[in-house]
Amino acid sequence: MRLLTKLTSFVLFILCAFHAEAQIQTPGYRAELGGIVKSGTQKPFWLMSNQGGRYHPDNSSLFGGIYIGSEVERQNDFFEPAEDTVRKLQVDYGIEAFNRYNGDYDLRLQQYYTDVSWWYFNLHAGARRETFGNQHNPLSSGSLLYSGNARPIPKIAASSDYIPVPFSKGYIEFKGYLSHGWFEKDRYTENPFLHHKNAYVRVGGDFPINAHYGFHHYAMWGGVSPNYGQIPDDLEAYKKIFFSEKGDESSLAPEGDIINALGDHIGSRNFGLDYKGEDISLHLYWQTIFEDNSGKAWRNIRDGLWGVVYENRQKHKPIVKSALYEFLRTTDQSGKYHDIDGENVGGNDNYFNNYLYKSGWTFDSYTIGTPMITSPIMNNKENIRMFNNKVIAHQLGVKGWLLNNLHYRALMTYSINYGTNSSPFEPAKKEYSVLTEFNYKLPEQPDWQFKMKVAADFGDMYGKNFGVFFGVTKKGWKSR
């Protein structure tokens, strides 16, 4: 698409210009080497999920990788972004090569990106590990719509941190995000585009209690369908995608996109309350999900992700730094049926599936959203669609320090899996998935870190699996 190619070139030109003016951050590296030993039908759920699509479910395996860039500390599961700050002109960048051996070598570029930040604003180009939503990432089961479960998607993006509304004295703030991304070719409808925008407002300022609301809109559009050929992807099509409008008969859009909306759209409303005291913090959040007008109209209000997080602010390295409880439900879907006797009743939202984009809300065969909606790669059948998108799940999580140099994290998930409305599991499949993780830094050489994860599954959904992850990482170059 010529317009977006020109837009990409323009953004990259701006990024290069910023490079010329800004002080580029000092590079560092993070090298890792390790393996996963498993027993059972596949690797345990929590050794696979929210790992950026790094590992394949089959067989025991070895892996190695190296990240070179300005954000070495960000490259771990325990990273928590700092609060928004006003910045001078700053350039961050990174490239990560990752190789896994699972019977065959699979060398890939996992990340490659440049980010430019100034004041409250940010420009991005490339593929970078990221999540979206108001969940507590280190312990959460993952954002409903963009959890970090799949391999990073290449994109260009413009965004802001929270900006105070003029004359509000910082008690009302807002931020926004807009991006254009590219899906992979090797999928049912080849090379579609990703559209994502969000907007948040936060109130409370320096009061101990803040509230926020955010709205996310994602769309998969364009591409080449084996049934319909080239899907509209010009400027007029982008406008319709941006405003969720119907396709135009003269544009050769598929019939379903003319009746409903051009492209495959999905969205979420995020609500949150945050309390910050001297000794503790409490965070409550709720994420809704919608894929059509019935969801927008709150017909599926029972579905969503709810969470509460406790954080200890009193001690530097407490035994319990954070604790979480989360509840997920995706079973309502505005009702079981979309049509009854030819009448459209608006049910069967069929999360993450679409008639045109049959590979669904995935990238490289991994679910982009919550991993509780099962990734196709974890299905032993030749099925590229989501075969389990009706789920109820409870999650407990805790993390902290056992010793000054020994960090731990523990997750326990209980899920009831119902399949889909068209292909239900009878009976429903129950599963327990647990993880215990330890990270140890050498006292005299903290750039060396040793990691071990022990995980297991018990139930009918993923079977009975046990696995041990072991790895060693070495950081260097960038001054601490």
Side-chain angles (χ1 to χ4, degrees):
M1 183 177 175
R2 294 177 187 172
L3 176 67
L4 290 173
T5 301
K6 291 179 179 179
L7 178 60
T8 304
S9 300
F10 174 74
V11 171
L12 291 174
F13 171 78
I14 294 297
L15 293 179
C16 291
F18 271 129
H19 268 290
E21 296 294 329
Q23 182 178 359
I24 301 176
Q25 302 298 300
T26 305
Y29 74 86
R30 184 176 188 270
E32 62 176 331
L33 186 66
I36 301 175
V37 178
K38 70 92 178 174
S39 65
T41 57
Q42 64 181 27
K43 294 183 178 74
F45 182 82
W46 282 122
L47 293 186
M48 296 276 300
S49 301
N50 293 339
Q51 299 298 307
R54 286 170 170 256
Y55 311 110
H56 195 279
D58 295 340
N59 306 326
S60 298
S61 58
L62 300 173
F63 64 86
I66 184 166
Y67 167 89
I68 299 175
S70 61
E71 299 182 302
V72 172
E73 296 302 325
R74 183 184 287 271
Q75 307 301 310
N76 66 81
D77 295 333
F78 293 100
F79 176 78
E80 297 182 48
E83 294 184 5
D84 297 339
T85 58
V86 178
R87 292 179 294 271
K88 296 180 180 179
L89 191 58
Q90 175 178 316
V91 176
D92 287 304
Y93 55 91
I95 184 168
E96 180 188 14
F98 185 81
N99 190 18
R100 66 187 185 192
Y101 178 76
N102 216 72
D104 294 302
Y105 290 102
D106 183 8
L107 178 62
R108 61 176 66 181
L109 275 181
Q110 184 75 4
Q111 299 185 88
Y112 46 95
Y113 65 89
T114 298
D115 290 346
V116 177
S117 303
W118 174 73
W119 200 37
Y120 294 102
F121 302 103
N122 314 283
L123 289 174
H124 163 83
R128 171 179 170 173
R129 182 179 181 180
E130 58 188 349
T131 64
F132 292 94
N134 58 354
Q135 69 285 343
H136 183 71
N137 283 319
L139 299 177
S140 173
S141 60
S143 165
L144 263 179
L145 302 190
Y146 207 110
S147 67
N149 185 56
R151 187 175 173 182
I153 300 174
K155 63 180 72 170
I156 54 174
S159 63
S160 74
D161 299 329
Y162 274 113
I163 303 172
V165 172
F167 309 110
S168 71
K169 298 183 178 181
Y171 290 105
I172 304 176
E173 304 165 286
F174 68 93
K175 67 177 180 179
Y177 178 92
L178 176 64
S179 74
H180 172 80
W182 291 263
F183 284 92
E184 75 276 30
K185 179 180 180 180
D186 187 18
R187 53 192 299 127
Y188 185 82
T189 295
E190 298 181 350
N191 293 324
F193 297 130
L194 169 66
H195 171 73
H196 176 206
K197 59 179 175 288
N198 65 59
Y200 277 79
V201 61
R202 181 171 68 184
V203 297
D206 57 8
F207 283 124
I209 296 179
N210 279 204
H212 65 262
Y213 166 76
F215 179 86
H216 287 261
H217 172 220
Y218 299 85
M220 190 184 306
W221 64 291
V224 181
S225 166
N227 298 323
Y228 299 96
Q230 177 66 55
I231 309 300
D233 64 355
D234 55 11
L235 182 59
E236 183 63 25
Y238 180 77
K239 172 179 165 291
K240 293 181 182 297
I241 291 296
F242 193 94
F243 294 105
S244 302
E245 296 178 351
K246 295 180 179 181
D248 190 343
E249 293 184 16
S250 64
S251 67
L252 302 179
E255 181 180 357
D257 286 14
I258 296 173
I259 296 173
N260 299 302
L262 186 64
D264 179 22
H265 298 257
I266 187 169
S268 176
R269 303 174 179 93
N270 288 199
F271 303 87
L273 280 176
D274 303 304
Y275 166 77
K276 183 178 292 185
E278 292 185 4
D279 298 331
I280 68 168
S281 294
L282 294 174
H283 311 280
L284 289 84
Y285 53 89
W286 172 31
Q287 298 177 12
T288 71
I289 181 173
F290 58 86
E291 287 217 32
D292 56 19
N293 288 326
S294 62
K296 292 179 183 178
W298 303 90
R299 287 265 307 273
N300 62 348
I301 189 66
R302 296 176 63 196
D303 286 344
L305 177 73
W306 292 260
V308 56
V309 182
Y310 157 86
E311 291 191 273
N312 186 335
R313 294 167 52 86
Q314 188 174 17
K315 292 184 178 181
H316 175 53
K317 291 186 176 180
I319 293 178
V320 176
K321 172 62 178 177
S322 303
L324 167 143
Y325 168 73
E326 238 179 27
F327 174 70
L328 171 73
R329 182 198 297 269
T330 63
T331 57
D332 185 72
Q333 303 197 16
S334 304
K336 186 175 181 179
Y337 302 103
H338 188 268
D339 298 279
I340 298 179
D341 297 329
E343 180 183 356
N344 187 334
V345 295
N348 190 20
D349 294 341
N350 202 11
Y351 300 144
F352 298 177
N353 279 319
N354 182 263
Y355 84 101
L356 178 61
Y357 299 98
K358 291 186 178 180
S359 297
W361 189 233
T362 69
F363 188 75
D364 199 23
S365 297
Y366 279 85
T367 305
I368 298 170
T370 171
M372 306 309 300
I373 293 181
T374 309
S375 297
I377 198 171
M378 298 177 73
N379 177 18
N380 292 324
K381 302 176 183 178
E382 293 297 325
N383 182 3
I384 62 174
R385 296 173 64 84
M386 299 295 182
F387 65 100
N388 177 45
N389 62 15
K390 296 185 67 175
V391 182
I392 292 176
H394 302 264
Q395 172 134 327
L396 296 174
V398 61
K399 69 184 183 76
W401 280 265
L402 298 176
L403 299 170
N404 189 52
N405 293 306
L406 182 60
H407 197 182
Y408 78 93
R409 178 175 64 148
L411 304 176
M412 184 178 73
T413 309
Y414 170 65
S415 63
I416 309 174
N417 303 272
Y418 297 89
T420 64
N421 280 324
S422 60
S423 299
F425 297 154
E426 296 179 350
K429 299 181 179 182
K430 300 178 181 179
E431 192 79 22
Y432 290 92
S433 298
V434 296
L435 169 76
T436 303
E437 177 177 355
F438 302 96
N439 284 261
Y440 179 73
K441 293 182 179 181
L442 291 179
E444 303 299 326
Q445 295 180 301
D447 285 339
W448 285 91
Q449 179 174 312
F450 298 86
K451 178 185 294 187
M452 184 176 72
K453 302 180 185 180
V454 180
D457 300 328
F458 307 94
D460 301 318
M461 183 63 202
Y462 303 112
K464 296 181 180 180
N465 307 304
F466 179 80
V468 177
F469 172 110
F470 55 91
V472 58
T473 63
K474 172 65 170 66
K475 297 185 298 183
W477 294 348
K478 191 172 185 177
S479 59
R480 295 187 296 274

